[in-house]
C-alpha cells in the first residue's frame, strides 16, 4: 500500500470520525434542549417533531426522519448522483440512531433539563449549528432539506440557501396545526410563541453553521515591507512552512525601489508570522487582512463541479496549450 493511499484512508477515517461527532452534537442539542419544549425547527427533524407531537408521542422523531430521508433520496437519486446519495445515507442513518437513543432518554425525564425556554432554545441552536458545521466541513451530510435544495438547484435557478430557508420556515409554521385542547384563540396564544422560537432556533443553527464553515476556511494575508526581506522570506519558509511571493514596488515619496513580501497562512499561524518579522526587523511595515478562502497547494481544494460541456471545453483548451 503506497503512502498516498494510506494518507487518503487516514483522512477519510478522520472525516468520518468528525462527521459522527458532529451528528452526535446535533442529536444532543435537538433532543436535550429543543424537543422537550415542543419547539418545531426546520429540516426533517422538524417534520419528525410534527409527527411525534401530532401522534402524541406514538411515532418517534427518528423513525419519521429516517423514512423521509430514504423517500427523498429515492426521488433525488437520478438528479444528485450516487456519491451524494451514499454519503447522505450514512449521515441520515447515524443521526437517526443518535436522535432515537437520546430522544428516549431526555423525553422520559418528563421535564426539560433547562426550564427557561429561551436559554434552552439558544443552547439547542448552538449545539445543532456546531454539529451541522462540523459535518459540512468534513464533507458530510445528514440529509433533510439538503436533499430538497439539491434537487431544486438541479431543476431551476433558485439558490440552495433560499430553498432551505423557505422550506424550513414552512415546516416551523405547520406547528400551528398540532393538536391542542382549546379554542382557536387559545391555540394561537399557545402556538405562536413556539413558532417564533422555532424560527429563532432555525436561524441560530444557520448562523453557527456558517460561522464554523467560514472560520475553517478563513486565512490571513500579509503584505510585508522590509529592507531585510530576504531574511524574513527565508524564515517564513523554514519555520512557518509557508510560501512567500516577492513583488517589486516603489515608494512614491522616497522614489526608491522596494521589495514587497506577500504571505498567505491559516489564521492560527498569523502569530508565527508576526514573531518572525518582529525578531528580524521590528521596524518592518506590515498589513494584515482576513481572506475568506485560499485555494491551492497547502490550503483548501476547490470543490466546484463544472458542467460536462464546460469541463470538456476546459480540458481541450488545456491540452492545446500543452501542445503549443
Amino acid at each position: 500500500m503506497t503512502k498516498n493511499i494510506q494518507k487518503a484512508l487516514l483522512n477519510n477515517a478522520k472525516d468520518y470520525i468528525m462527521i459522527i461527532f458532529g451528528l452526535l452534537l446535533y442529536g444532543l442539542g435537538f433532543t436535550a434542549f429543543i424537543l422537550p419544549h415542543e419547539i418545531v425547527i426546520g429540516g426533517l427533524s422538524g417534520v419528525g417533531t410534527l409527527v411525534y407531537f401530532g401522534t402524541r408521542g406514538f411515532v418517534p422523531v427518528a423513525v419519521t426522519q429516517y423514512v423521509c430521508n430514504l423517500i427523498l433520496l429515492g426521488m433525488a437519486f437520478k438528479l444528485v448522483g450516487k456519491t451524494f446519495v451514499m454519503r447522505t445515507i450514512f449521515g441520515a442513518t447515524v443521526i437517526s440512531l443518535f436522535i432515537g437513543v437520546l430522544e428516549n432518554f431526555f423525553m422520559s425525564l418528563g421535564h426539560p433539563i433547562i426550564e427557561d425556554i429561551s436559554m434552552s432554545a439558544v443552547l439547542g441552536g448552538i449545539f445543532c449549528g456546531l454539529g451541522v458545521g462540523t459535518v459540512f466541513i468534513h464533507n458530510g451530510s445528514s440529509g433533510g432539506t439538503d436533499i430538497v435544495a439539491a434537487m431544486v438547484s438541479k431543476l431551476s435557478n433558485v439558490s440552495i440557501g433560499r430553498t432551505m430557508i423557505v422550506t424550513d420556515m414552512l415546516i416551523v409554521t405547520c406547528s400551528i396545526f398540532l393538536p391542542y385542547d382549546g379554542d382557536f384563540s387559545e391555540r394561537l396564544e399557545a402556538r405562536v410563541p413556539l413558532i417564533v422560537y422555532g424560527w429563532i432556533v432555525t436561524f441560530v443553527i444557520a448562523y453557527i453553521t456558517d460561522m464554523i464553515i467560514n472560520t475553517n476556511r478563513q486565512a490571513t494575508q500579509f503584505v510585508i515591507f522590509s529592507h531585510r526581506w530576504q531574511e524574513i522570506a527565508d524564515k517564513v519558509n523554514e519555520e512557518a512552512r509557508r510560501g512567500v511571493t516577492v513583488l517589486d514596488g516603489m515608494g512614491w515619496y522616497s522614489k526608491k525601489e522596494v521589495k514587497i513580501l506577500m504571505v498567505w497562512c491559516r489564521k492560527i499561524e498569523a502569530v508565527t508570522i508576526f514573531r518572525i518579522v518582529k525578531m528580524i526587523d521590528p521596524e518592518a511595515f506590515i498589513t494584515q487582512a482576513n481572506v475568506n478562502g485560499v485555494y491551492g497547494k497547502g490550503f483548501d481544494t476547490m470543490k466546484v463541479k463544472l458542467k460536462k460541456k464546460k469541463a470538456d471545453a476546459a480540458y481541450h483548451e488545456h491540452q492545446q496549450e500543452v501542445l503549443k
Side-chain angles (χ1 to χ4, degrees):
M1 187 180 292
T2 63
K3 289 185 178 180
N4 288 336
I5 295 176
Q6 288 179 336
K7 187 176 180 181
L9 290 174
L10 182 61
N11 288 335
N12 283 333
K14 288 180 180 178
D15 278 341
Y16 276 102
I17 290 171
M18 292 307 297
I19 288 169
I20 292 171
F21 176 69
L23 294 173
L24 177 61
L25 280 180
Y26 182 91
L28 181 63
F30 173 72
T31 55
F33 303 111
I34 297 171
L35 189 62
H37 285 287
E38 299 188 23
I39 298 173
V40 177
I41 62 174
L44 290 188
S45 298
V47 174
T49 305
L50 289 172
V51 174
Y52 178 77
F53 289 114
T55 59
R56 299 189 183 277
F58 181 73
V59 180
V61 175
V63 172
T64 303
Q65 185 179 23
Y66 194 63
V67 170
C68 289
N69 265 319
L70 292 180
I71 293 172
L72 287 173
L73 284 170
M75 295 167 58
F77 184 81
K78 290 184 178 180
L79 289 174
V80 298
K82 183 179 178 181
T83 303
F84 178 86
V85 170
M86 296 305 295
R87 189 176 69 242
T88 305
I89 285 176
F90 172 79
T93 303
V94 174
I95 190 62
S96 294
L97 288 173
F98 282 145
I99 288 180
V101 173
L102 295 172
E103 173 189 342
N104 288 331
F105 174 75
F106 287 110
M107 294 306 288
S108 65
L109 296 177
H111 60 84
I113 58 175
I114 296 180
E115 295 293 338
D116 182 57
I117 187 171
S118 300
M119 182 62 70
S120 188
V122 171
L123 279 174
I126 292 173
F127 269 78
C128 290
L130 289 172
V132 174
T134 302
V135 170
F136 280 174
I137 63 177
H138 290 280
N139 303 315
S141 172
S142 60
T145 48
D146 297 352
I147 306 171
V148 178
M151 286 193 293
V152 172
S153 68
K154 292 282 184 179
L155 297 173
S156 70
N157 293 323
V158 180
S159 69
I160 291 177
R162 184 181 301 176
T163 303
M164 292 181 70
I165 289 173
V166 172
T167 306
D168 290 342
M169 296 288 278
L170 287 174
I171 291 170
V172 175
T173 305
C174 285
S175 63
I176 193 73
F177 302 111
L178 288 175
Y180 184 78
D181 298 328
D183 58 28
F184 184 71
S185 61
E186 291 174 333
R187 174 190 292 268
L188 287 178
E189 187 177 349
R191 292 295 177 195
V192 168
L194 292 178
I195 291 174
V196 173
Y197 278 117
W199 287 339
I200 291 171
V201 171
T202 300
F203 279 106
V204 169
I205 293 173
Y207 175 78
I208 298 296
T209 300
D210 286 343
M211 187 178 70
I212 295 296
I213 294 172
N214 290 331
T215 300
N216 181 70
R217 284 196 324 220
Q218 201 170 60
T220 299
Q221 174 183 284
F222 284 97
V223 179
I224 305 167
F225 299 82
S226 171
H227 64 281
R228 300 179 66 180
W229 59 273
Q230 289 178 306
E231 296 174 64
I232 294 173
D234 289 339
K235 282 291 183 182
V236 170
N237 284 163
E238 293 169 10
E239 296 186 11
R241 299 292 181 182
R242 286 298 178 189
V244 181
T245 300
V246 182
L247 305 176
D248 291 319
M250 176 181 284
W252 196 245
Y253 180 78
S254 63
K255 301 297 189 295
K256 292 181 179 179
E257 292 186 355
V258 295
K259 295 292 185 181
I260 306 166
L261 304 182
M262 293 192 71
V263 180
W264 290 272
C265 66
R266 293 293 186 189
K267 199 169 183 180
I268 59 174
E269 298 170 327
V271 176
T272 303
I273 304 297
F274 273 118
R275 285 174 179 166
I276 290 171
V277 176
K278 184 177 180 181
M279 179 181 66
I280 296 173
D281 184 7
E283 303 298 322
F285 184 82
I286 309 172
T287 67
Q288 178 187 6
N290 290 329
V291 182
N292 284 334
V294 177
Y295 302 93
K297 190 174 181 180
F299 288 92
D300 297 323
T301 303
M302 288 186 289
K303 298 176 182 178
V304 178
K305 187 176 181 181
L306 295 175
K307 292 183 179 179
K308 193 174 186 306
K309 290 183 180 179
K310 291 184 179 179
D312 291 342
Y315 174 77
H316 290 307
E317 185 178 344
H318 173 71
Q319 290 295 100
Q320 289 175 357
E321 290 294 328
V322 171
L323 293 173
K324 288 178 182 179

